[in-house]
Amino acid sequence: MAINHLAPEQTEQFADNIVGFARALRAAGMPVGPGAVIDAMSALQVIEIGNRADVFTTLEAIFVKRHEHALIFSQAFNLFFRASEEWKHMLDSVPLPDEAKKKPKAGSRRVQEAMSQPRMTETQQHQEQDLRLSVSDKEILQKKDFAQMSAAEIAEALRAIDRMHLPQAELLTRRYLPNPRGLRLDLRRTLRASLRTGGDIIDVRRLGRIEKPAPIVALLDISGSMSEYTRLFLHFLHAITDARKRVSVFLFGTRLTNVSRALRQRDPDEALASCSASVEDWAGGTRISASLHNFNKLWARRVLSQGAIVLLISDGLEREADSKLAFEMDRLHRSCRRLIWLNPLLRFGGFEAKAQGIKMMLPHVDEFRPVHNLSSIQELITTLSRPLPPHHRSLIRSAA
């Protein structure tokens, strides 16, 4: 039965439910505006609203604009339809698609809080009070896992990431600039200055090497097992890209995608939306070996030529763990100055490298660190700010 065939009071009730569902999505952290609600009402007029699967697919196509919001929408849809007694006479028992049946872990607390709000029309002042965290809350937030955060806590975590002091590890280049404390004699400027004193060398000019921030190359796993952390990591990489222009970011799941240009946009939401639009394998499988092979073959010489620091952000759960994975990891390790593997699985105290892919990757990294909360990101920033080790150019030539 379509909306046009409903009684006027039923149509009004149906519209109220659509507005309430949109508010719940917005409370859960999804950008849903009035225009999307109008589009949803127009689209529902041409489908069979008694079919639950059709309603789910229609609303998902309108409200979900980014890959990372698909899990939030599916869980919110399931909870809202189950809790809304007014829609039961409009929806039959047709099951949801497989994507909606699964109970996603990512954002589950945000959705539950959005659905359990006593009044969907609470004032903006009350919302702002809820977003303000006390000192003790902020201390707890530092250690809290990203996957367990509420919508307000995620918003506060994003603001905390923007306020972090970003790494500024300096890399000595081969070029020189005038520097009174430099160790190299600037003979040309010294002789030119001596002409003013009749050839007597009074002022000795010196040169010092130019220091530039070391390039950072990030390889971020966006497979389904990493979906709970992808958005926070992208915000962190966007903050680094905004402050340090020598940053390259690649996303990989079943294929490799360069999103460096997309992350250079100033607005973080626009940058993440651009990344989402350019990636086709979001929250899918994982092919680390094939992705590293493509990076080493197509991008390594372009972005690792100046002694870059590589951040490999992945849980290491490779589908095809074989000798090729170890070879590609070794080649990547030899091509960069420092290879840091950031793994959210290290949040578990009893973590052991039992997976075959993790065993093959571990011998080829310089550091193996956890990254699952604000505290771990702050520790990563401290690590990236340390003095850089010497660069073994003989290893780079052998790897190339």
Side-chain angles (χ1 to χ4, degrees), residues 296-368:
N296 290 330
K297 182 179 180 180
L298 302 176
W299 296 100
R301 292 192 178 186
R302 305 184 192 182
V303 298
L304 301 182
S305 59
Q306 299 181 358
I309 300 174
V310 176
L311 303 178
L312 178 60
I313 309 174
S314 173
D315 53 13
L317 302 181
E318 168 66 296
R319 296 171 52 187
E320 303 171 354
D322 51 20
S323 59
K324 294 181 180 179
L325 177 60
F327 174 79
E328 297 299 340
M329 281 293 299
D330 179 64
R331 182 177 181 183
L332 176 64
H333 186 207
R334 292 172 179 267
S335 301
C336 64
R337 183 178 295 271
R338 184 191 298 175
L339 177 56
I340 303 176
W341 184 6
L342 306 174
N343 193 332
L345 294 180
L346 286 180
R347 68 185 185 274
F348 301 113
F351 172 81
E352 296 182 8
K354 295 182 178 180
Q356 188 67 18
I358 299 179
K359 290 181 180 180
M360 291 185 174
M361 296 169 64
L362 266 180
H364 307 288
V365 299
D366 296 313
E367 293 187 42
F368 191 38

Side-chain angles (χ1 to χ4, degrees), residues 9 48 60 90 129 196 248 258 271 360:
E9 60 274 8
E48 181 65 34
E60 182 186 36
M90 301 180 188
Q129 290 177 355
R196 302 175 183 176
S248 302
N258 185 1
M360 291 185 174

Side-chain angles (χ1 to χ4, degrees), residues 147-195:
Q148 305 300 325
M149 288 184 176
S150 65
E153 290 171 338
I154 286 183
E156 183 65 24
L158 295 179
R159 288 191 288 268
I161 290 176
D162 292 336
R163 293 193 300 265
M164 285 182 178
H165 179 68
L166 299 178
Q168 294 292 331
E170 300 297 329
L171 177 66
L172 288 177
T173 65
R174 296 183 178 181
R175 296 188 177 185
Y176 290 85
L177 278 180
N179 186 348
R181 298 182 180 181
L183 301 179
R184 184 172 180 176
L185 175 65
D186 187 353
L187 185 58
R188 176 182 297 180
R189 295 179 67 246
T190 300
L191 293 178
R192 184 178 299 173
S194 67
L195 297 178

